[in-house]
Amino acid sequence: MEVTFRESWGVLHGLIFGALFLLSFSGGIVGLYSLRPEFLTAEGLKERMARMKVWVASMAAIVWATVITGTYIVYPWYRAKPGADVTDLSAYPRSLLLSAANTAEWHKFGMEFKEHVAWIAPIAATVVAYVIAVYGPQLIKEPKIRKALMNFFVVAFTAAAIAGVLGAFITKAAPIH
Amino acid sequence: MTTEILIKNGKAAAALLAGGIGALTMGLMTTLGESVAAIGTALNWYNPVGALSGKTTVAVIVWLIAWAVLGNQWKDKDVDFDKIAMIALVLLLLGILGTFPPFFDLFVPKA
């Protein structure tokens, strides 16, 4: 059993950072949804807000870590160009996918979508984390702001989920070794 | 008796709209970078990453500038939150559309 240096970064990017963001989404969205006067006592609100601020700020930090490691560490290995004399493309995932008609779409659609859409997730998640940090307990009286934050949170999750699912399929078709 | 001081909705509106502008910029940079070769080349700020480096950096810079400007303008104001939140959401979704390959491929010149 062996995990290479590049595979370790791939695991950190996708299976640890990316999966952690997706898994923690349900906690964040439920926390926001249930931030209502009829659901919480004053004590409950105080406890909830302290936890939510840390939870959502951590999610924003994790999704930034996901896109930065993905773009600047893993992606260069994915798109590296083989030399003219290279015949075994297994170390060059992009070229490997494009070399066959039945796998080319994993790059042309899958990777092209994943690498771009993923960057919308940290922007949207940071907005949510900032507003929760600034407004705190006041959010319980601000249903319009809560609703807007939930919309942004769902979009952040959707963008990250698209990137995550496509990433899993691309890695299956052409892994980085 | 204590008087609770409520934060105006301008700060939240500014953050949301700036987020929408940042996402739209990401979509716009993606579509322009993929469909206009000269822009794609100009956005290549770091060779190992290619044009993705410029697209993402421009989007983040535009987002942060928009946030700073709007936040400064609206920090002590109540604004039309419903309208701004709706615009922000539409911009966010347009940003996703701009990163969708079948969409930006519509603008790629046919060989």
Side-chain angles (χ1 to χ4, degrees):
Chain A
M1 194 176 92
E2 187 189 358
V3 179
T4 66
F5 177 71
R6 292 183 177 190
E7 285 168 344
S8 303
W9 275 106
V11 166
L12 186 68
H13 158 69
L15 282 180
I16 297 178
F17 290 150
L20 206 55
F21 176 78
L22 295 175
L23 289 171
S24 56
F25 169 77
S26 58
I29 197 77
V30 169
L32 263 175
Y33 176 81
S34 60
L35 209 57
R36 297 157 183 253
E38 63 269 30
F39 290 171
L40 292 169
T41 61
E43 272 305 301
L45 176 62
K46 197 175 161 188
E47 186 274 338
R48 170 75 62 84
M49 280 318 305
R51 186 156 39 88
M52 270 197 71
K53 283 181 185 180
V54 174
W55 187 274
V56 180
S58 301
M59 286 182 68
I62 287 166
V63 76
W64 275 111
T66 310
V67 295
I68 290 168
T69 55
T71 301
Y72 288 96
I73 297 174
V74 180
Y75 183 58
W77 294 326
Y78 169 84
R79 72 188 294 272
K81 287 188 169 57
D85 55 335
V86 173
T87 51
D88 178 8
L89 296 176
S90 60
Y92 305 93
R94 179 181 183 273
S95 300
L96 180 64
L97 291 175
L98 290 173
S99 68
N102 64 335
T103 57
E105 282 303 311
W106 282 121
H107 173 75
K108 290 178 184 171
F109 174 80
M111 194 63 187
E112 290 285 354
F113 195 17
K114 168 192 162 60
E115 71 190 43
H116 296 112
V117 76
W119 277 83
I120 289 173
I123 293 175
T126 303
V127 168
V128 176
Y130 167 81
V131 175
I132 290 174
V134 168
Y135 285 79
Q138 187 183 323
L139 283 174
I140 202 164
K141 298 174 187 166
E142 304 278 6
K144 290 178 181 178
I145 297 180
R146 271 201 327 270
K147 186 181 168 198
L149 293 182
M150 283 193 284
N151 287 337
F152 260 57
F153 217 27
V154 168
V155 172
F157 173 79
T158 305
I162 291 168
V165 169
L166 288 172
F169 280 117
I170 292 163
T171 301
K172 185 172 176 291
I176 289 170
H177 295 295
Chain B
M1 185 180 153
T2 57
T3 307
E4 195 177 2
I5 299 169
L6 295 178
I7 304 167
K8 308 267 190 195
N9 68 18
K11 280 187 176 180
L16 288 161
L17 187 55
I21 291 169
L24 179 70
T25 306
M26 184 63 213
L28 201 59
M29 287 299 110
T30 303
T31 298
L32 288 173
E34 295 294 327
S35 58
V36 182
I39 295 177
T41 304
L43 288 168
N44 183 1
W45 296 2
Y46 177 56
N47 262 333
V49 175
L52 185 60
S53 56
K55 293 170 192 168
T56 56
T57 308
V58 169
V60 170
I61 289 171
V62 169
W63 166 50
L64 294 176
I65 290 173
W67 196 353
V69 171
L70 291 168
N72 191 49
Q73 294 282 314
W74 292 349
K75 64 183 174 188
D76 300 318
K77 290 181 184 167
D78 269 325
V79 295
D80 185 348
F81 189 83
D82 282 344
K83 186 177 164 189
I84 291 165
M86 181 53 69
I87 292 170
L89 182 61
V90 169
L91 295 181
L92 200 60
L93 296 174
L94 285 174
I96 289 184
L97 179 67
T99 67
F100 189 53
F103 174 77
F104 63 64
D105 282 345
L106 294 173
F107 305 95
V108 175
K110 302 289 178 277

